Structure formats: structure tokens, C-alpha cells
Amino acid sequence: MSTVYSLPPAGTTGQGTDPTRSGVLSGSSSDDEKKTPDPTATSISDVPPLAAPHEEKRFWWQRTRNFDGDAVATQPSVYDDPETAKAYQPRSDWENLHRFDPLFRWSWKEEYKLIRKIDLRIMVFACIMFMALELDRANISQAVTDNMLGDLGLTTNDFNMGFTVFRLSFLVAELPSQLVSKWIGPDRWIPAQITLWSIVSMSQFWLNGRTTFLLTRSLLALLQGGFIPDIILYLSYFYKHHELSLRLGFFWTAMSLADILAGFFAAGILQLRGHAGHAGWRWLFMLEGLMTLVIGLLAFGLMPPSPTQTSHWFRGKKGWFNEREEKIMINRVIRDDPSKGDMHNRQPITPKLLWKSISDYDLWPLYLLGLVFQLPAAPPTQYLTLTLRGLGFDTFRTNLLTIPTVFFHMVTMMILTYVAEIWKELAFTAGFAQVWMFPFVLYLYLKDITQINKWAAWGFLTVFLSWPSPHPLQVGWNSRNSNTVRSRTVSAALYNMFCQTGGIVSANIYRADDAPRYKRGNQQLLGIVSANIVLYGLIKLYYVWRNKQRDAKWNAMTAEQRQHYLETTTDEGNKRLDFRFAH
């Protein structure tokens, strides 16, 4: 876990304390009190009691009969010492400043109830929007099972080129999209993205050849690029670090759920082949594009700009949260990460800040992981429907047989994400995915699965492609190690750009002259998965080494020197001596 070492000793409350009677759940609920309390005018002895860090029950199964929901939930932070608080004050134009109160206290019962409310109001619709992206992005895999390539006169290499063009366009759009989102706000930009890409998706109904195929692939990607880092930045406004990592697991689960639904949709919609004289795959693009267009239009009303800005004609005049809920949301998040008060939600990133974020070398090991971690499974996944057709399964059964792979991949991904948070180990947990894939890639290289029983081949591919993706874990890891809104904004885009670059590479590993065995391609995958196992270990060692460097400097300083550093340093984000990298 990333750690700030400047925390002062804090008082704690026992599990049996009634915080309401003792007055530690302080903070006025009156709307006319807007002034933020000044922590620098308070002594440590005046700070109301706090919860002990170990009292936080992150998972529902930890909340047993002995769990006291009325105990204070407010965690110790840098804001509890008037001296250290000076160095971490939110900026004066931060949109949530009027709810910031270092002396405010709340209970575990209130916090967990509020988290459930945030999940329902914010997270569920974020997942639905991601499902819209996946539906319009991935339905090409179902379309090709309905003889789309033959209808358009396309070859396997044209199909690969379509993937390459899509990935390259997606990559090019990532950073510009994130910068636009940070400038005008994700609550405005994301709905516009979904609406526009849905129109492009529907336009694929009128494809007539290679040129229009590649053009729509590019336009779709240009509009979808940046959505993922945009939504991750948006969710970080509402969740603490460990909460975000777990919710990103559900976020990517939504993508898998969309793939499952896409299989069912395709199995039905492709039966329209011949209706009104058009192929089934044309109806697939049109009808699924209409579905996502509705989601895009709803997003304009269902995405509040921030936790304290939910009032809207569509969401209700009073908004979604009352004043006390807003204060809990703001104070618990900024206590977890004071850097979230460094920028307001409509503040653009200047070229100087952009370059500072791009040149942050401590995040590049994670970008490298984004480039390579999916490569061993990407070509087999991309060619799954074509492989199943080649094994002798018809169009209807092929689309249904892809569903178990998606379902189990979703389950293993969530298990891996939870294990990482329970074990508090990121690098080795994420690296387990490569260990999972290694024997399957080795078998693909040694044996020709097109020559074995088709059901045995399907079972093999299902288990292989059910690998536990560390993608949500690594996105959260990248966010933790950024430690500023500015850096988090850019690093989320850069990480995803490297993921898209990996997609471009993977789209060109299986080539037509290597079909159907793809022995050369599988040899390359075997080398990649072997190198990846080593890479995760090396990245673990890098962050351990960087933290030891910080420890040596920090521990060599006296208390006075540390305080002087906090008050005068120009170091920012993960370059601060009191920051420790998660690994």
C-alpha cells in the first residue's frame, strides 16, 4: 500500500463507544454553515477521537456480530495535526471545499450505508456505460460468424487490419480524450462519447467493402478511446483507493457480462439474416447501436459532476445525497488521499503539467505491464469464434459456446482482485495470471488442437481463456502510485494506451500464412508469457527498492527536519519523500 508517514499519533475509540453521545460525530448539518473549519487553529488535544486503522472492515464477511457499526469510522490522516495539515489543504476553488471539515466524524454504519448508495447511484450506471462500449466494440466477433467477411469480400488479413486500425485509433484518442474530459468534465464528455460512437456503430449497417469497414473501425475507436481512463478518474471522486480497485473488478466484470449478453443477442439477431433483404450481421450493428444510443442519452442526466453537485432537473432538485452524506463522502476520500483536493473537476491540464506526468518514470513499469500482460491470451481470444467455426460448430452454437469462457473469466478476475486486497499483495497476485496461461500456451505450441475432438478442443480453450485478468488490479495499482489528480489523469490514459498498443501487437501474431495451426504465432506467445512471469518479479523488486531509498532518507531526518520538509517541499505526488509505492 502507498503510505504517508507524516501521520500524528491519534486517539481511538473503543468498539463500545457511543460516538453520538460523546460528541465525536461532530459537524453541523445546517445549510447556512458553509465555512470550512481551519485545522491550523486547533491543537492536537482538541481533535475529536478517531477510529483505529485496523477497525476498518473492508469486506462484508468481516462484519460479524462483534462488529460495532456505531463506532467512529473516521480514519487518522495528515489533517489531524495542525502543523502537517497546512501542507495538505485543498485548493481554494475545489468544488467540494464547502464540505471539507477535518473535525467531522461519522460511524461505520453511516459509511457502509453510504457506500452502498454510491454503488447504486454511480457504480451501477458506470458499469452499464462500459457494457455499452463493449457491446459496440466487440460485436464484430459475432458479426464474422454470419459470413460478414464473405459478404464484404474481406480476407483474414483484412480482418486483422481492422483490429489493428481500431487499436491504433483507440490508442491515438486516449490522451486527447482524457485531457478534454479533465477540461470540460467527464460528466459532459462521456455522454457525448457514447452518443456519437453509437451513431457510428449503427452506420455499420451500410458497410459495402474494405474501405468502409476500416473507416468505421477507426471512427468507432476514435470516439471510444479515452472512455476507460475518463470513467476511472470520475469514479476516483467517490471512492477510496482500495474501494476503487474492487469496484474496477466489477467494472471489468460488466464488460464480461456484456460479452455474455452479446452472445445471446447475436444468437437471436443473426437469425434475421435475409429479413428485408439484409444480412443478419447488418441488423446486429443497427439494433445494438440503438441500445447503446439510449444509454448515451441517459448518461447526460445520470452523471453528476461531483459528490456535492448532484442537484439537477433530471436527478431531482435536492440531489441524491443530503449534506451529512456529502460531508462523509468528501472527508473520507480526501483523508485517504489528500492529493484529490489538488485540482477542481473543470481544470485543464497545462502542457507543463502534462509533460511532468508523462515523464514520471516511476509509473513506466506499470505501463510496460499494460503492454504485455494480455498478449498470451489475446490472439486465441480474438480467433475463438473463427476457431470454433473451423472445428465444425454452426453459427448459433458457436456464439453460445463463447459464453462459458466469458463467464468464468469474469469470475476468476473478481477472485484475483479480492485476493490482492485481502493479501495486500499486488505484483505477485497480478503475476499469477501468467502462470495460469503458461501450460496452455505450451500445449498450443506442441499440439494441433484442430486435430483433436472438437468438444475437447472447446473445453481446452474454455479453461485457457478463463484466465484471471489482473487488469482492474493493475489500473487501481497505477492510480495508487500516481498520487496526484494531474498524474492520475494522464497515467490512466497512458496505461490504457499501452494496453491498446499490446492489442495492436496481438492482432498481428496470428497470420494467414500460419493458419490454421498458428505454430509460429504460438511460439511467440510462449516466449512472451515466459518473459512476463519474470517481469512481474522485477517490477516488484523495483518498487521495493524505491521505497527503501525513501525510507533511508526519511528515517535519517529529525522530527523538525521532516516538518520543515512538509512545509517547504516543492516535491509533488509520488516524488514526495513521505510517499511509498504500492506493490
Side-chain angles (χ1 to χ4, degrees):
M1 298 292 290
S2 55
T3 308
V4 175
Y5 280 86
S6 53
L7 298 180
T12 61
T13 59
Q15 289 281 22
T17 301
D18 183 345
T20 304
R21 286 186 298 167
S22 63
V24 296
L25 289 181
S26 62
S28 173
S29 296
S30 173
D31 286 331
D32 59 358
E33 291 189 27
K34 299 294 183 182
K35 186 176 180 180
T36 302
D38 181 6
T40 63
T42 307
S43 66
I44 293 179
S45 61
D46 294 328
V47 175
L50 296 161
H54 71 272
E55 291 177 350
E56 183 173 13
K57 309 300 182 183
R58 295 185 174 184
F59 310 104
W60 61 266
W61 61 81
Q62 295 176 325
R63 299 164 201 166
T64 62
R65 286 181 299 176
N66 296 325
F67 172 65
D68 184 3
D70 292 322
V72 177
T74 312
Q75 295 292 299
S77 82
V78 294
Y79 297 111
D80 302 321
D81 186 329
E83 295 302 317
T84 58
K86 296 176 184 178
Y88 293 95
Q89 290 300 294
R91 57 185 294 140
S92 60
D93 58 353
W94 187 44
E95 67 276 6
N96 303 308
L97 186 63
H98 62 294
R99 298 295 187 233
F100 173 61
D101 181 356
L103 302 181
F104 183 68
R105 301 291 181 263
W106 61 93
S107 70
W108 289 115
K109 185 185 296 183
E110 288 180 298
E111 177 161 335
Y112 293 137
K113 181 181 179 180
L114 179 58
I115 292 172
R116 289 193 296 271
K117 188 173 182 179
I118 297 170
D119 287 340
L120 289 174
R121 292 289 192 179
I122 303 298
M123 193 67 222
V124 169
F125 191 68
C127 291
I128 291 173
M129 290 188 290
F130 194 22
M131 291 172 69
L133 179 142
E134 181 63 12
L135 205 60
D136 286 336
R137 175 174 65 176
N139 55 11
I140 186 73
S141 296
Q142 283 84 35
V144 296
T145 67
D146 192 46
N147 197 41
M148 174 184 165
L149 298 185
D151 289 348
L152 295 177
L154 303 178
T155 67
T156 301
N157 284 349
D158 292 328
F159 183 63
N160 284 343
M161 178 60 71
F163 267 92
T164 300
V165 167
F166 182 92
R167 297 283 189 177
L168 184 60
S169 299
F170 205 99
L171 183 155
V172 169
E174 288 276 2
L175 191 53
S177 175
Q178 183 74 326
L179 296 178
V180 171
S181 179
K182 188 65 188 72
W183 177 32
I184 69 174
D187 57 295
R188 296 170 176 170
W189 179 236
I190 290 175
Q193 283 181 289
I194 300 174
T195 301
L196 291 172
W197 86 53
S198 297
I199 294 172
V200 172
S201 181
M202 292 164 58
S203 74
Q204 293 175 105
F205 181 90
W206 293 280
L207 292 179
N208 58 19
R210 186 174 187 270
T211 300
T212 53
F213 168 67
L214 295 179
L215 179 62
T216 53
R217 286 284 96 192
S218 178
L219 285 174
L220 192 64
L222 287 172
L223 292 167
Q224 290 186 336
F227 170 84
I228 294 174
D230 292 345
I231 201 72
I232 291 169
L233 176 66
Y234 180 72
L235 292 174
S236 71
Y237 297 162
F238 297 88
Y239 292 106
K240 299 198 292 190
H241 284 311
H242 76 272
E243 294 167 351
L244 181 60
S245 295
L246 295 175
R247 269 114 191 121
L248 289 177
F250 286 106
F251 187 62
W252 266 277
T253 296
M255 183 185 75
S256 299
L257 182 59
D259 289 333
I260 292 174
L261 292 175
F264 285 113
F265 290 160
I269 294 174
L270 292 180
Q271 300 304 309
L272 292 174
R273 186 173 183 84
H275 182 73
H278 297 295
W281 59 265
R282 295 185 186 274
W283 290 112
L284 183 73
F285 288 134
M286 174 61 73
L287 295 177
E288 291 188 348
L290 279 171
M291 294 181 204
T292 58
L293 178 61
V294 172
I295 294 172
L297 295 175
L298 286 174
F300 282 103
L302 292 176
M303 290 188 69
S306 78
T308 61
Q309 297 172 306
T310 61
S311 177
H312 185 267
W313 68 265
F314 192 82
R315 297 184 293 269
K317 185 177 180 180
K318 294 183 178 180
W320 289 343
F321 307 101
N322 60 41
E323 181 181 340
R324 183 169 182 82
E325 289 173 330
E326 289 181 354
K327 293 185 75 171
I328 295 173
M329 279 192 291
I330 295 310
N331 286 282
R332 74 186 200 92
V333 166
I334 200 168
R335 279 177 167 272
D336 179 64
D337 183 357
S339 72
K340 291 184 179 180
D342 290 347
M343 298 183 76
H344 64 75
N345 62 353
R346 296 280 193 265
Q347 182 179 352
I349 294 177
T350 64
K352 181 180 179 180
L353 293 178
L354 174 62
W355 173 247
K356 187 181 291 187
S357 299
I358 292 175
S359 59
D360 187 350
Y361 55 85
D362 283 316
L363 294 177
W364 279 75
L366 297 178
Y367 302 157
L368 182 58
L369 288 183
L371 175 68
V372 300
F373 84 99
Q374 298 182 94
L375 286 179
T381 300
Q382 179 183 332
Y383 277 77
L384 179 60
T385 53
L386 291 177
T387 300
L388 293 178
R389 287 301 308 273
L391 289 170
F393 295 107
D394 60 27
T395 299
F396 180 80
R397 185 166 290 178
T398 292
N399 283 295
L400 291 181
L401 288 177
T402 62
I403 293 174
T405 297
V406 177
F407 174 77
F408 290 116
H409 180 63
M410 176 175 65
V411 171
T412 57
M413 178 179 65
M414 284 304 305
I415 292 174
L416 191 77
T417 305
Y418 269 89
V419 166
E421 290 299 328
I422 294 170
W423 188 20
K424 293 182 173 58
E425 171 57 55
L426 300 178
F428 290 151
T429 306
F432 174 74
Q434 307 300 316
V435 176
W436 175 297
M437 291 186 286
F438 179 82
F440 294 99
V441 176
L442 178 62
Y443 186 86
L444 281 178
Y445 172 64
L446 296 176
K447 300 290 184 179
D448 183 0
I449 65 167
T450 63
Q451 300 303 311
I452 64 176
N453 177 273
K454 67 178 183 179
W455 286 105
W458 169 77
F460 170 86
L461 289 171
T462 297
V463 178
F464 172 25
L465 300 180
S466 297
W467 66 289
S469 173
H471 196 30
L473 189 161
Q474 290 175 184
V475 170
W477 188 3
N478 183 65
S479 179
R480 295 183 195 196
N481 283 355
S482 297
N483 203 43
T484 62
V485 175
R486 173 258 306 165
S487 182
R488 192 172 290 117
T489 299
V490 177
S491 68
L494 289 176
Y495 172 82
N496 218 44
M497 288 173 69
F498 274 78
C499 291
Q500 299 309 317
T501 303
I504 294 173
V505 174
S506 69
N508 293 279
I509 291 178
Y510 283 0
R511 304 294 296 175
D513 62 346
D514 196 26
R517 174 75 189 278
Y518 299 114
K519 186 176 180 66
R520 183 182 67 241
N522 289 326
Q523 183 180 33
Q524 294 169 355
L525 296 181
L526 184 61
I528 292 169
V529 72
S530 301
N532 284 355
I533 293 174
V534 176
L535 180 62
Y536 276 92
L538 292 176
I539 290 176
K540 169 78 174 182
L541 292 175
Y542 174 78
Y543 285 127
V544 169
W545 171 67
R546 290 289 284 145
N547 286 346
K548 285 184 176 179
Q549 283 185 316
R550 302 275 176 88
D551 285 338
K553 293 179 181 179
W554 187 258
N555 294 335
M557 298 167 67
T558 64
E560 291 75 15
Q561 288 173 325
R562 293 179 185 178
Q563 186 60 45
H564 179 72
Y565 171 83
L566 293 175
E567 294 175 354
T568 62
T569 184
T570 57
D571 295 337
E572 296 179 348
N574 60 21
K575 296 299 179 282
R576 294 176 61 99
L577 289 179
D578 55 346
F579 176 80
R580 299 297 178 268
F581 292 100
H583 56 77

